[in-house]
């Protein structure tokens, strides 16, 4: 029988006398009649009773929780129930994973652009294979017109090559040297 002399929610709803060995009493107390009303409406008292009798006593509380959850889901979505909610959540997870993958791809693109701009601004470093191992392989930067420039001369080389404009070039015409502007 339910708590005290009060019948359980099942017996109260079905308007019957609550026996001492009522299978619903431990799981559907009289204080929460709405819980059994939804289960009864979706599954029926007879089906729930059969399900609970087939289970060992230690698993019945978990089964009742699952039955109540599914009954509530069926009230919200009579066709799909829990499966509809699970499917919706799986679709949300897939969409979020796609957005995450796009964000990772955008980050990689930005990093690659930054790396490329850093490579373009610094001259390439070339190791002289002819140098002795004792000299720790001399390193050179590849300057303009593919000239090798030692690393400490790189700034001077850029300055010198920038002033190498054709403004002062010697030409020989009829054996005379002339400076052309």
């Amino acid at each position: 029988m339910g708590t005290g002399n009060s019948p359980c929610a099942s017996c109260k709803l079905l308007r019957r006398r609550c026996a001492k060995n009522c299978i619903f009493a431990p799981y559907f107390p009289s204080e929460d009649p709405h819980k059994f009303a939804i289960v009864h409406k979706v599954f029926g008292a007879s089906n729930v009773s059969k399900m609970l009798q087939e289970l060992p006593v230690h698993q019945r509380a978990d089964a009742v929780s699952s039955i109540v959850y599914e009954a509530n889901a069926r009230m919200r979505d009579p066709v799909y129930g829990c499966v509809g909610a699970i499917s919706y959540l799986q679709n949300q997870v897939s969409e979020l994973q796609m957005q995450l993958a796009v964000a990772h791809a955008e980050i990689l693109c930005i990093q690659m652009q930054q790396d490329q701009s850093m490579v373009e601004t610094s001259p390439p470093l070339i190791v002289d294979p002819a140098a002795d191992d004792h000299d720790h392989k001399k390193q050179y930067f590849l300057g303009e017109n593919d000239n090798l420039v030692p690393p400490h001369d790189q700034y001077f080389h850029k300055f010198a090559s920038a002033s190498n404009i054709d403004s002062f070039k010697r030409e020989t015409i009829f054996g005379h040297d002339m400076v052309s502007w």
Side-chain angles (χ1 to χ4, degrees), residues 67-148:
I67 290 168
V68 170
Y69 186 82
E70 178 64 29
N72 283 319
R74 289 277 174 187
M75 293 301 288
R76 286 189 303 271
D77 185 355
V79 176
Y80 296 108
C82 288
V83 174
I86 291 168
S87 178
Y88 171 76
L89 292 173
Q90 284 176 334
N91 286 338
Q92 258 189 329
V93 167
S94 294
E95 287 178 22
L96 292 172
Q97 286 174 334
M98 182 67 79
Q99 290 176 1
L100 184 62
V102 167
H104 281 295
E106 288 176 357
I107 290 170
L108 284 175
C109 286
I110 291 169
Q111 287 175 343
M112 289 175 64
Q113 287 173 351
Q114 288 176 347
D115 290 347
Q116 185 178 5
S117 68
M118 289 178 72
V119 167
E120 289 174 356
T121 58
S122 64
L125 186 64
I126 298 175
V127 176
D128 184 8
D132 268 352
D133 283 334
H134 300 291
D135 291 341
H136 300 292
K137 301 276 185 196
K138 292 186 180 178
Q139 296 179 344
Y140 295 94
F141 286 106
L142 188 60
E144 293 177 18
N145 300 326
D146 294 334
N147 295 328
L148 293 178

Side-chain angles (χ1 to χ4, degrees), residues 6-82:
S6 177
C8 70
S10 166
C11 293
K12 195 181 268 190
L13 183 72
L14 299 173
R15 296 189 176 145
R16 64 181 183 190
R17 187 172 158 267
C18 193
K20 284 186 179 183
N21 61 352
C22 178
I23 197 159
F24 296 117
Y27 313 108
F28 298 103
S30 61
E31 299 86 41
D32 195 6
H34 183 68
K35 183 174 160 182
F36 182 77
I38 292 173
V39 169
H40 175 62
K41 187 173 186 175
V42 174
F43 296 108
S46 176
N47 289 331
V48 174
S49 174
K50 288 177 189 173
M51 284 189 270
L52 291 177
Q53 286 174 354
E54 291 176 4
L55 292 172
V57 177
H58 69 279
Q59 292 180 348
R60 290 181 183 174
D62 291 335
V64 168
S65 294
S66 296
I67 290 168
V68 170
Y69 186 82
E70 178 64 29
N72 283 319
R74 289 277 174 187
M75 293 301 288
R76 286 189 303 271
D77 185 355
V79 176
Y80 296 108
C82 288

